[in-house]
Amino acid sequence: MPSFADFTVLDYLSNIIDILLVWFVIYKLIMVIRGTKAVQLLKGIFVIIVVRSLSGFLGFNTLSWMMEQALTWGFLAIIIIFQPELRRALEQLGRGKLFSRTGSNEEEEQGRMLEAIVKAVNYMAKRRIGALISIERETGMSDYIETGIPLNSEISSELLINIFIPNTPLHDGAVVLQKRTIAAAACYLPLSESPFISKELGTRHRAALGISEVTDALTIIVSEETGSISITKNGELYRELSPDDFKNLLGSEIMDSAKNNSSTRWSWRGKKQNG
C-alpha cells in the first residue's frame, strides 16, 4: 500500500480535480432533475437505504433481504420508468446543452419571454380579461403543473391571451411557466389562509398569494373586475401596477443583470399589501 510520501504534488492536484469534477457532475444532475418526479424517487431510494442499513444492524434478516432486492432491481426499474427523461437528457448532452448555455442565448430567451408576457398581460388588462400566470423559479412546481392540462408549448403572447379568453376550456385556473415554456394551463394553486388579505380580493389573488407563500414563484394577476395588474412574490402582494412599472418590475426579476438591486425592486408606486 503506497504511503503519503509516495504521492507527488501532481497526484494531489489530480485527485482534487477528480473530486471537483465529480461534485460538478452531481450538482448539474441535481439541477436537471430539480422540480421533477425524480426528486421524490431519490427520497424513496434514500429511505430504502436507511431501512436496509438499520435492518441489517438490528438483525431483521427478512426485511434486510427485501430492501436488498429493492435496491438490486430498483435501478433497472428506474431506467424503464424514466426512459423519456433519460432520452431527453442524452439528447441535450449530444447537443452540448446539458452542462452549458451561452449567456447571450440565455438573455435572448429571457427577453423574448418578457416581451411575450408583457404584451399578453397589457392586452388582457385593457379588455379586463382575468388571468393568473405563475413563473417557476428555484422551487419546483411540478406538483401544481400536474393538476392542470399539460401544454409544453413555447411562450407566445397570442397563446397566453387565447388561454384566458372567457368561456374557453382552459381559462379557469393558472398557467404555469417552467423553463421558459408554458408547462400547463388550468392549474390549481393553493389558496392563502392569511386573515390579513383584503376582503375585496378574489380567488385569483388568494391563489397567487398562496403559491408565493410556499414557493419562490413570481405570479401575475389580471383582475377581471378592474383590469388592474398585480404581482405576488415571497408572500407579498403588489397591486395596481401601471404598465411601465409592471414591465420594469417583471424585467428586473427575470433578467439576471438586475439581481444586485433586488433589495430595491419592490419599492414601486404600486400598492403593497403584506399577505
Side-chain angles (χ1 to χ4, degrees), residues 238-255:
Y238 295 83
R239 301 174 57 190
E240 300 178 14
L241 295 168
S242 69
D244 289 338
D245 284 344
F246 166 68
K247 181 178 180 179
N248 292 334
L249 179 55
L250 184 64
S252 68
E253 289 297 329
I254 290 179
M255 305 302 287

Side-chain angles (χ1 to χ4, degrees), residues 86-143:
L86 292 172
R87 185 180 67 247
R88 284 196 296 268
L90 290 174
E91 289 174 353
Q92 290 178 355
L93 182 60
R95 301 189 190 106
K97 295 182 178 180
L98 182 60
F99 294 141
S100 64
R101 180 186 293 270
T102 62
S104 59
N105 289 340
E106 187 81 11
E107 291 182 2
E108 288 177 5
E109 291 181 8
Q110 290 174 335
R112 286 194 293 268
M113 173 181 172
L114 174 63
E115 182 180 354
I117 295 174
V118 169
K119 182 178 178 181
V121 169
N122 287 336
Y123 179 96
M124 292 185 286
K126 290 179 181 178
R127 292 159 179 78
R128 297 188 179 183
I129 299 173
L132 184 62
I133 303 171
S134 193
I135 305 172
E136 181 189 79
R137 308 182 85 184
E138 295 298 323
T139 307
M141 296 183 64
S142 295
D143 289 343

Side-chain angles (χ1 to χ4, degrees), residues 36-42 44-45 48 70 73-88 146:
T36 67
K37 294 179 180 179
V39 175
Q40 303 301 322
L41 178 67
L42 289 178
I45 293 174
I48 292 175
W73 296 101
F75 290 103
L76 178 60
I78 289 173
I79 295 174
I80 296 173
I81 295 172
F82 289 95
Q83 184 265 341
E85 287 80 3
L86 292 172
R87 185 180 67 247
R88 284 196 296 268
E146 290 175 357

